[in-house]
Structures are given as structure tokens and as C-alpha cells.
Amino acid sequence: MKARRTVAAALSVLALTAVAACGKDGSPSASGDSAAPKAPGYTVKSDVKLDASPVWAAAKKKGKITIGAKADQPFLGFEDVTTNTRNGFDIEIARMIAADLGFSADQIDFKTVVSANRETSLAGGQIDLYVGTYSINDNRKKTVSFAGPYYIAGQDLLVNKDNTDITGPDSLKGKQVCTVTGSTSITKVEPLGAKVTAYENYSLCVDKLLTKEVDAVTTDDAILKGYAAKNAGKLKVVGQTFSTEKYGVGLKLDDKALRDAVNDALKAHEDNGDWKKAYDATLGLSGSAAPAVPPLERY
Amino acid sequence: MGILFEDGNFSTFYHGFLQTIALSALSALFALLLGGALAAFRVSPVPVLRVFGTTWVTIFRNTPLTLLMLTAVFALPRLDIHFSTFTFAVIALSVYTSAFVCEVLRAGINTVPLGQAEAARSLGMGFGQTLGLVVLPQAGRTVLPPLSSVFIALPRNSAVAGAFSNAELFSVQKVFDEKGYPIFMTFFWIALAYLAISFTISGAFRVLEKQLAVAR
């Protein structure tokens, strides 16, 4: 009996620690303060006819559109597992597109797809669209189609707020710079004389940055702004981009009807100010002002 | 198919290949030494050593390698222990593999008839001599097949190190993916390279088995 009570006590202590741990560390959705800008709502179009697109027709029949996204990028494409919600700039983009395609927020079925599986998921039809820091490049255009770009990112540097000696790519000589395994960011900072560390994901890099074991984290500024927003007051984005990554919406190869529709949706929401509002409510929290809206590349 | 031979991909791939071999070879060496010592601890007459050996095996055989790697790379520096990430990876891999090597060797030691050790004792040999000259040489032959399994698993386990700042074979996949190459071709070449490593190891062990075979 006594042993059982001890076990019960131990379990409840464990449970309490687990609960306490959840609310910790400013998880993105926890920013419930009312002064922060809110993401806009989007009016769902009811008269959409897009039967030329097999992907759209199938989704309409199911009554659900499946959108692939990232789940581990704060304020960009983030899944909050405690509340089972997603938020971030990419997620807002996905929502505004879905609204213009005739799907309301609860008709979107978000699916986490890691970078390596994007092409196969789109080609295999597991997802209808992909919105998640997906750079448009010619190699990829052979296997998937792109709408957009909806954001032009550039490689940038994330440093501790009190850091003054890293001002841009030219000041990286001899500095410890962290990025993700295999990313193209490595090839851009190595020639500048930086010592590169590479981990599986950016949160490990950010951890090393917060403990000051590395001097900077480098990748696309969009991703860095998300981490700066998550660690507001501790980290900052330098703001000297030295590459160009055009983020597009991934689509099944050669579904021209859907591609045009997504491009139209992006154009409409960029023009009516939703794009800017979505930015301010997500990545804008990092303190970096919204960049110019990129011109669409229709093809 | 030919993605390996365009755009400087081959040198990336080749360096990853060498890194995997370096990681595996060094870790195999340390795991063998460490595992041998631990096996000796576990059969030794000294209780403290036996407890140490058992604890070591229990902890490191039951901890996921990723967690060990994470501990080495992220927890040790907080205790002011600083090494290169390569060294950290070798430490984690050797420590992990040594637990398996230890158990394989211990199983081998158990196959040697007790009479052998007793005979050695009655000739006046100490524990070290009994183990080193009589028991281990016999045990070693018996454990070659399971030991080869452990050492074939090692290069594949080393893929975890790629996530912790080691540009090894598996992490090459990410480089190619970022460049936008089809994932199937990338994995084809990587799988082929791992196959080559595994076949080499299993071939070496087969030769050893033939050489050391003994009629009982």
C-alpha cells in the first residue's frame, strides 16, 4: 500500500513538471497580449469554378484541401501541439489562398511535410499545395510547379542583441557560424572565412547562440526573423541579406489552372493589404519591417 | 542517375564517404577496447567492477544514440568540456557500441567450459592470465558472427552524427536535396555506399572466421 502511494506521488510530481514545462519558453501562440497585431481573417469565395484543375476538383469533391507545411519554424510555419493549432506567415499565406479557392479555415487539412519529401508528396497527390519556405529553382521546376513568389528571402545573420561586431557578411572572418546540415547557406559563408557548425535543425543552432557558443546563425531571413520574434529582446537579425531565395507555393507539375488561381489569390491579398497584416502579425514581431511585396512570376 | 558526376557533387559525396569511414573505424577501435575492458569487469571477481560494468551496459545500451549524441554535443560543453564535434561523435558512438561489444564478448566468455578456467587456475594462473591466455582466445572465435553484426551496425549508426555537425555520408542527402536533385537518385547512391561499407566489413569477418576456425 505504501509503495503504491509513493508511486502515485512520484507520478503526480512528474505530471506537474510536465504541465509546468508546457507553458514555458514563450511558445509562439502564447503571445496573447492585445496590443500585438492580429492576423486578418479571409473571406471565403463561394463561386469558385476551377474544373480545369484535377487537383482542385478532387479537393472540392472531398470538401477539404490538403496543404503541406513546416511545423518547426516559429512565426513562419509552426504547429503548436498543445493547442493543436498552426500559426505563422506561411500558414497565413496558405489560408488566404485556400479562402480564394473556396475553402474555409476548417476545410484546410494541414500536413507536416519535411523538406526532403516535398516533391514526392506533391507528385503523389498526398498534398494539394505546399507552403513552407519553398525556394523556386530550375531543378525543382522539373518535378513540381510554383506559384508566386510570395516572399523574397535572403540569407542573413541572427546574432545576440548585444553583439556589435557582426554587421554583415563581411565581418564573419573567424567567427563561429551555425546553420542546418546540408543547407546552401554553408557554401555562402565558408568562403567568407567563417567557421561553420551544422546541426539537424535551427533550434539547436539558436540554443548554441543563446549560450554564446556560436557567434551567429545563418539562413534565410524569414526563418531567422521567426526565431528573433520567439526570443524577443535577446536576439536580432542583422538585416544585410546576401542571397535571394524566392519562396513559392509548390503545386503538382503542370496544373496550370490551379497555378493561375493561386497566383490570382496572392495578387488579390497583396493588393488589399492582407499580406502586410499577416506579416506584421507574425514575422513582424521580430522588429524587422515588412519588405516590399515581390512581383509574381507567372509562367 | 548521373547526379553524382555533375556540379561538383562527387567531391561532396566522397568527403562524406571518408567521414563515415573515419567515424566508424575510430569508434570501432575504441568500442572494441572499451567493450573488452567492460566484459573483463563484468566477469571479474571484484564486485565494484562488476557493478560498474553492469551499470555502464544498462545505461548506454538502453539510451537512444541520438540522445547520447545530443548529450555529448549540448550538455558536455555546459560542463566546460569542449571538443570538436567529430570527437564528440566518436565518443558517443564508441560509448554506445562498447555496451553491445561488452555483452557479445560476455556471451562468448560464457560459452567457454568452466573446466578451462579451473584448469588454468590449477596451473597457478591469475585472473588476468586465465582470461587473457585461456578464456578470451576461445571466446573470441565464438563471438565473431555476432561481433560482425555489431560492427556492421556501427557505420549505419554513424549516420546520426550527420545531424551534429559532421558532414558524413547520410547528411550528403541534405546537400543534394537543397540543390533540388530528385530524392530517389540521392538515396540510391547513398544506399550503395553504405552497402559497400557493410559488405567490406562482413567480408573481413568471414575471412577471420575461416582463419580462426577451430574444431571442437
Side-chain angles (χ1 to χ4, degrees):
Chain A
M1 192 65 204
K2 189 165 175 250
R4 200 181 295 166
R5 208 175 301 153
T6 323
V7 170
L11 278 178
S12 53
V13 167
L14 263 180
L16 275 177
T17 358
V19 168
C22 285
K24 211 177 76 174
D25 203 14
S27 41
S29 71
S31 55
D33 91 70
S34 52
K38 279 221 154 54
Y42 312 107
T43 327
V44 180
K45 284 195 179 165
S46 53
D47 54 343
V48 195
K49 267 270 163 266
L50 212 66
D51 292 323
S53 159
V55 172
W56 183 88
K60 197 75 211 170
K61 214 172 140 204
K62 260 190 307 178
K64 257 190 188 322
I65 188 163
T66 315
I67 302 185
K70 296 265 172 79
D72 57 350
Q73 296 173 328
F75 293 99
L76 193 54
F78 191 83
E79 181 173 26
D80 190 335
V81 284
T82 53
T83 57
N84 214 3
T85 54
R86 291 189 188 243
N87 54 51
F89 183 66
D90 277 344
I91 303 296
E92 290 307 320
I93 295 287
R95 284 187 181 134
M96 52 182 88
I97 293 169
D100 276 24
L101 293 177
F103 296 91
S104 65
D106 53 3
Q107 283 176 309
I108 305 175
D109 189 6
F110 278 112
K111 216 174 193 174
T112 304
V113 177
V114 296
S115 294
N117 298 342
R118 293 184 288 207
E119 285 83 11
T120 37
S121 300
L122 280 168
Q126 284 99 328
I127 52 174
D128 301 326
L129 299 172
Y130 188 88
V131 192
T133 60
Y134 203 5
S135 297
I136 302 174
N137 74 30
D138 290 340
N139 254 329
R140 285 180 181 146
K141 273 187 185 170
K142 289 178 203 157
T143 41
V144 293
S145 290
F146 287 101
Y150 61 88
Y151 187 91
I152 294 186
Q155 189 170 349
D156 209 328
L157 298 160
L158 180 72
V159 295
N160 278 298
K161 196 131 204 171
D162 54 11
N163 185 319
T164 47
D165 51 326
I166 294 180
T167 50
D170 302 328
S171 53
L172 284 180
K173 204 169 167 53
K175 295 279 191 275
Q176 289 280 357
V177 179
C178 191
T179 186
V180 153
T181 318
S183 75
T184 44
S185 320
I186 295 181
T187 52
K188 295 218 177 73
V189 291
E190 259 175 350
L192 299 168
K195 284 180 253 163
V196 176
T197 319
Y199 296 115
E200 186 77 335
N201 54 52
Y202 291 110
S203 41
L204 295 180
C205 278
V206 172
D207 181 85
K208 286 277 188 198
L209 181 64
L210 288 167
T211 60
K212 307 209 168 163
E213 273 173 82
V214 298
D215 303 308
V217 179
T218 186
T219 182
D220 297 354
D221 59 348
I223 297 170
L224 296 179
K225 280 177 188 175
Y227 282 105
K230 191 182 172 191
N231 299 286
K234 289 189 213 138
L235 304 176
K236 65 175 180 195
V237 179
V238 170
Q240 294 285 327
T241 55
F242 47 104
S243 76
T244 314
E245 299 290 342
K246 296 171 182 167
Y247 288 169
V249 177
L251 303 145
K252 196 169 185 167
L253 190 62
D254 290 336
D255 193 335
K256 184 156 175 17
L258 188 61
R259 188 166 74 216
D260 288 342
V262 172
N263 275 327
D264 291 342
L266 287 172
K267 181 90 184 107
H269 288 281
E270 285 167 3
D271 289 348
N272 73 5
D274 282 349
W275 188 93
K276 172 88 168 51
K277 278 187 212 150
Y279 178 90
D280 288 341
T282 53
L283 297 181
L285 300 176
S286 64
S288 306
V293 178
L296 296 172
E297 290 172 5
R298 294 172 188 261
Y299 66 97
Chain B
M1 201 70 191
I3 64 160
L4 213 51
F5 306 103
E6 51 190 68
D7 202 15
N9 288 346
F10 188 75
S11 82
T12 311
F13 187 82
Y14 182 64
H15 282 120
F17 187 70
L18 289 187
Q19 180 90 347
T20 289
I21 290 179
L23 270 175
S24 313
L26 275 177
S27 309
L29 181 71
F30 288 126
L32 203 57
L33 295 175
L34 210 55
L38 285 166
F41 283 5
R42 291 205 68 176
V43 297
S44 81
V46 186
V48 183
L49 291 184
R50 281 206 304 272
V51 169
F52 178 81
T54 315
T55 317
W56 182 285
V57 169
T58 312
I59 293 177
F60 293 118
R61 194 172 54 167
N62 296 313
T63 311
L65 182 57
T66 315
L67 202 60
L68 285 180
M69 209 71 92
L70 200 79
T71 314
V73 176
F74 284 88
L76 291 185
R78 284 192 164 83
L79 303 172
D80 240 0
I81 304 172
H82 299 278
F83 287 121
S84 72
T85 42
F86 182 82
T87 316
F88 276 136
V90 170
I91 292 174
L93 272 169
S94 331
V95 159
Y96 179 77
T97 315
S98 71
F100 291 90
V101 171
C102 164
E103 288 304 89
V104 166
L105 286 179
R106 197 166 65 89
I109 291 170
N110 286 341
T111 63
V112 178
L114 198 61
Q116 296 277 336
E118 280 169 354
R121 280 288 172 75
S122 65
L123 287 174
M125 292 183 175
F127 173 73
Q129 282 173 309
T130 311
L131 194 67
L133 297 173
V134 178
V135 179
L136 271 186
Q138 299 184 58
R141 288 175 188 150
T142 340
V143 299
L144 280 177
L147 210 53
S148 77
S149 296
V150 171
F151 286 128
I152 286 172
L154 178 59
R156 291 181 285 120
N157 286 338
S158 77
V160 175
F164 299 93
S165 207
N166 285 287
E168 50 71 66
L169 195 46
F170 184 68
S171 69
V172 165
Q173 165 254 131
K174 296 231 154 154
V175 181
F176 290 175
D177 178 61
E178 279 296 315
K179 289 187 182 174
Y181 291 108
I183 200 82
F184 175 76
M185 274 303 111
T186 313
F187 275 118
F188 171 80
W189 287 111
I190 290 173
L192 207 64
Y194 274 110
L195 207 63
I197 297 176
S198 299
F199 269 8
T200 312
I201 298 171
S202 68
F205 268 92
R206 204 164 306 138
V207 170
L208 268 180
E209 267 178 61
K210 279 217 183 87
Q211 296 264 311
L212 299 175
V214 67
R216 274 231 175 105

